[in-house]
Short mmCIF file of all heavy atoms in Angstrom, two decimals:
data_model
loop_
_atom_site.label_atom_id
_atom_site.label_comp_id
_atom_site.label_asym_id
_atom_site.label_seq_id
_atom_site.Cartn_x
_atom_site.Cartn_y
_atom_site.Cartn_z
N VAL A 1370 54.92 95.63 102.08
CA VAL A 1370 53.81 95.92 102.98
C VAL A 1370 52.50 95.78 102.21
O VAL A 1370 52.29 96.47 101.20
CB VAL A 1370 53.93 97.33 103.58
CG1 VAL A 1370 52.73 97.62 104.49
CG2 VAL A 1370 55.23 97.45 104.35
N ILE A 1371 51.62 94.87 102.67
CA ILE A 1371 50.35 94.65 101.99
C ILE A 1371 49.33 95.73 102.36
O ILE A 1371 48.56 96.21 101.55
CB ILE A 1371 49.79 93.26 102.35
CG1 ILE A 1371 50.77 92.19 101.84
CG2 ILE A 1371 48.41 93.03 101.75
CD1 ILE A 1371 50.36 90.78 102.21
N GLY A 1372 49.30 96.14 103.64
CA GLY A 1372 48.35 97.15 104.11
C GLY A 1372 48.93 97.88 105.30
O GLY A 1372 50.03 97.55 105.77
N PRO A 1373 48.20 98.85 105.81
CA PRO A 1373 48.71 99.60 106.98
C PRO A 1373 48.79 98.71 108.21
O PRO A 1373 47.97 97.81 108.40
CB PRO A 1373 47.69 100.72 107.16
CG PRO A 1373 46.45 100.19 106.52
CD PRO A 1373 46.90 99.36 105.36
N VAL A 1374 49.74 98.93 109.05
CA VAL A 1374 49.98 98.16 110.26
C VAL A 1374 49.70 99.06 111.46
O VAL A 1374 50.18 100.20 111.51
CB VAL A 1374 51.42 97.62 110.33
CG1 VAL A 1374 51.64 96.85 111.62
CG2 VAL A 1374 51.69 96.72 109.13
N TYR A 1375 48.89 98.55 112.40
CA TYR A 1375 48.54 99.34 113.57
C TYR A 1375 49.02 98.62 114.84
O TYR A 1375 49.06 97.38 114.89
CB TYR A 1375 47.02 99.54 113.66
CG TYR A 1375 46.44 100.24 112.46
CD1 TYR A 1375 45.87 99.49 111.43
CD2 TYR A 1375 46.46 101.62 112.36
CE1 TYR A 1375 45.34 100.12 110.33
CE2 TYR A 1375 45.91 102.26 111.25
CZ TYR A 1375 45.35 101.50 110.23
OH TYR A 1375 44.83 102.12 109.15
N ARG A 1376 49.29 99.39 115.84
CA ARG A 1376 49.70 98.82 117.12
C ARG A 1376 48.46 98.30 117.85
O ARG A 1376 47.40 98.93 117.82
CB ARG A 1376 50.39 99.89 117.97
CG ARG A 1376 50.97 99.34 119.28
CD ARG A 1376 51.74 100.45 119.99
NE ARG A 1376 50.84 101.51 120.43
CZ ARG A 1376 50.20 101.45 121.62
NH1 ARG A 1376 50.37 100.42 122.43
NH2 ARG A 1376 49.41 102.44 121.98
N ILE A 1377 48.53 97.12 118.47
CA ILE A 1377 47.40 96.56 119.22
C ILE A 1377 47.15 97.41 120.46
O ILE A 1377 48.02 97.56 121.30
CB ILE A 1377 47.69 95.10 119.63
CG1 ILE A 1377 47.86 94.24 118.37
CG2 ILE A 1377 46.57 94.55 120.50
CD1 ILE A 1377 48.24 92.80 118.67
N ALA A 1378 45.95 97.97 120.50
CA ALA A 1378 45.63 98.86 121.63
C ALA A 1378 44.22 98.56 122.13
O ALA A 1378 43.41 99.47 122.32
CB ALA A 1378 45.75 100.31 121.20
N GLU A 1379 43.87 97.29 122.31
CA GLU A 1379 42.53 96.90 122.78
C GLU A 1379 42.37 97.24 124.26
O GLU A 1379 43.25 96.96 125.08
CB GLU A 1379 42.33 95.40 122.58
CG GLU A 1379 40.94 94.92 122.99
CD GLU A 1379 40.77 93.43 122.74
OE1 GLU A 1379 41.67 92.83 122.14
OE2 GLU A 1379 39.73 92.88 123.15
N GLU A 1380 41.22 97.84 124.59
CA GLU A 1380 40.96 98.25 125.97
C GLU A 1380 40.66 97.03 126.84
O GLU A 1380 39.98 96.10 126.42
CB GLU A 1380 39.75 99.20 126.01
CG GLU A 1380 39.46 99.76 127.39
CD GLU A 1380 38.28 100.72 127.38
OE1 GLU A 1380 37.63 100.85 126.32
OE2 GLU A 1380 38.01 101.34 128.43
N ASP A 1381 41.18 97.04 128.04
CA ASP A 1381 40.93 95.96 128.98
C ASP A 1381 39.42 95.85 129.26
O ASP A 1381 38.73 96.86 129.44
CB ASP A 1381 41.68 96.21 130.29
CG ASP A 1381 41.44 95.09 131.29
OD1 ASP A 1381 42.00 94.00 131.11
OD2 ASP A 1381 40.68 95.34 132.24
N LEU A 1382 38.90 94.62 129.26
CA LEU A 1382 37.45 94.41 129.40
C LEU A 1382 36.92 94.98 130.71
O LEU A 1382 35.91 95.69 130.73
CB LEU A 1382 37.13 92.91 129.31
CG LEU A 1382 35.66 92.54 129.46
CD1 LEU A 1382 34.81 93.19 128.38
CD2 LEU A 1382 35.49 91.01 129.43
N LEU A 1383 37.58 94.69 131.81
CA LEU A 1383 37.13 95.18 133.11
C LEU A 1383 37.20 96.70 133.17
O LEU A 1383 36.31 97.35 133.73
CB LEU A 1383 37.96 94.56 134.23
CG LEU A 1383 37.81 93.04 134.42
CD1 LEU A 1383 38.70 92.54 135.54
CD2 LEU A 1383 36.35 92.69 134.73
N ALA A 1384 38.23 97.25 132.59
CA ALA A 1384 38.35 98.71 132.58
C ALA A 1384 37.24 99.33 131.75
O ALA A 1384 36.70 100.39 132.11
CB ALA A 1384 39.72 99.11 132.02
N MET A 1385 36.87 98.68 130.63
CA MET A 1385 35.80 99.20 129.80
C MET A 1385 34.46 99.16 130.54
O MET A 1385 33.68 100.12 130.50
CB MET A 1385 35.69 98.37 128.52
CG MET A 1385 34.57 98.82 127.58
SD MET A 1385 34.30 97.65 126.24
CE MET A 1385 33.67 96.23 127.16
N ILE A 1386 34.19 98.03 131.25
CA ILE A 1386 32.94 97.92 132.01
C ILE A 1386 32.88 98.98 133.09
O ILE A 1386 31.86 99.65 133.29
CB ILE A 1386 32.83 96.51 132.61
CG1 ILE A 1386 32.68 95.46 131.49
CG2 ILE A 1386 31.65 96.42 133.58
CD1 ILE A 1386 32.68 94.03 131.99
N GLU A 1387 34.00 99.16 133.80
CA GLU A 1387 34.04 100.17 134.86
C GLU A 1387 33.83 101.57 134.30
O GLU A 1387 33.11 102.39 134.89
CB GLU A 1387 35.38 100.08 135.59
CG GLU A 1387 35.47 101.00 136.80
CD GLU A 1387 36.80 100.86 137.53
OE1 GLU A 1387 37.61 100.01 137.11
OE2 GLU A 1387 37.01 101.59 138.51
N ARG A 1388 34.44 101.85 133.15
CA ARG A 1388 34.29 103.17 132.53
C ARG A 1388 32.83 103.43 132.14
O ARG A 1388 32.27 104.50 132.39
CB ARG A 1388 35.19 103.28 131.30
CG ARG A 1388 35.01 104.58 130.52
CD ARG A 1388 35.99 104.65 129.36
NE ARG A 1388 35.84 103.53 128.45
CZ ARG A 1388 34.86 103.42 127.53
NH1 ARG A 1388 33.94 104.38 127.42
NH2 ARG A 1388 34.81 102.38 126.73
N ARG A 1389 32.18 102.42 131.54
CA ARG A 1389 30.79 102.60 131.11
C ARG A 1389 29.86 102.75 132.30
O ARG A 1389 28.88 103.50 132.24
CB ARG A 1389 30.37 101.41 130.24
CG ARG A 1389 31.06 101.39 128.87
CD ARG A 1389 30.51 100.31 127.98
NE ARG A 1389 31.11 100.34 126.66
CZ ARG A 1389 30.81 99.49 125.68
NH1 ARG A 1389 29.89 98.56 125.88
NH2 ARG A 1389 31.40 99.59 124.51
N LEU A 1390 30.14 102.01 133.38
CA LEU A 1390 29.32 102.16 134.58
C LEU A 1390 29.44 103.56 135.15
O LEU A 1390 28.45 104.15 135.61
CB LEU A 1390 29.71 101.11 135.62
CG LEU A 1390 29.26 99.67 135.34
CD1 LEU A 1390 29.82 98.72 136.40
CD2 LEU A 1390 27.73 99.58 135.32
N ARG A 1391 30.65 104.09 135.16
CA ARG A 1391 30.85 105.47 135.65
C ARG A 1391 30.10 106.47 134.78
O ARG A 1391 29.50 107.43 135.28
CB ARG A 1391 32.34 105.80 135.70
CG ARG A 1391 33.09 105.15 136.86
CD ARG A 1391 34.41 105.87 137.10
NE ARG A 1391 35.25 105.82 135.92
CZ ARG A 1391 36.18 104.90 135.69
NH1 ARG A 1391 36.38 103.94 136.59
NH2 ARG A 1391 36.91 104.93 134.60
N GLU A 1392 30.10 106.24 133.46
CA GLU A 1392 29.39 107.13 132.55
C GLU A 1392 27.88 107.09 132.81
O GLU A 1392 27.20 108.11 132.84
CB GLU A 1392 29.70 106.76 131.11
CG GLU A 1392 31.13 107.02 130.69
CD GLU A 1392 31.44 106.49 129.30
OE1 GLU A 1392 30.54 105.83 128.72
OE2 GLU A 1392 32.54 106.72 128.78
N LYS A 1393 27.35 105.85 132.98
CA LYS A 1393 25.91 105.70 133.24
C LYS A 1393 25.53 106.29 134.60
O LYS A 1393 24.43 106.84 134.76
CB LYS A 1393 25.51 104.23 133.16
CG LYS A 1393 25.59 103.63 131.75
CD LYS A 1393 25.15 102.18 131.74
CE LYS A 1393 25.24 101.59 130.35
NZ LYS A 1393 24.30 102.24 129.41
N GLU A 1394 26.42 106.15 135.57
CA GLU A 1394 26.14 106.71 136.89
C GLU A 1394 26.13 108.23 136.84
O GLU A 1394 25.28 108.89 137.44
CB GLU A 1394 27.17 106.22 137.90
CG GLU A 1394 26.87 106.64 139.33
CD GLU A 1394 27.83 106.01 140.33
OE1 GLU A 1394 28.88 105.49 139.89
OE2 GLU A 1394 27.54 106.04 141.53
N ALA A 1395 27.06 108.79 136.09
CA ALA A 1395 27.14 110.25 135.98
C ALA A 1395 25.93 110.82 135.25
O ALA A 1395 25.46 111.90 135.57
CB ALA A 1395 28.43 110.64 135.26
N SER A 1396 25.40 110.07 134.28
CA SER A 1396 24.26 110.56 133.50
C SER A 1396 22.93 110.29 134.19
O SER A 1396 21.89 110.77 133.73
CB SER A 1396 24.25 109.91 132.12
OG SER A 1396 24.03 108.51 132.22
#
Side-chain angles (χ1 to χ4, degrees):
V1370 179
I1371 298 177
V1374 179
Y1375 301 96
R1376 186 175 66 86
I1377 297 176
E1379 182 178 354
E1380 184 179 6
D1381 180 74
L1382 179 60
L1383 294 179
M1385 179 190 67
I1386 294 175
E1387 185 178 358
R1388 175 177 58 78
R1389 290 187 177 180
L1390 286 175
R1391 285 198 300 266
E1392 292 174 355
K1393 291 182 181 295
E1394 186 173 15
S1396 65

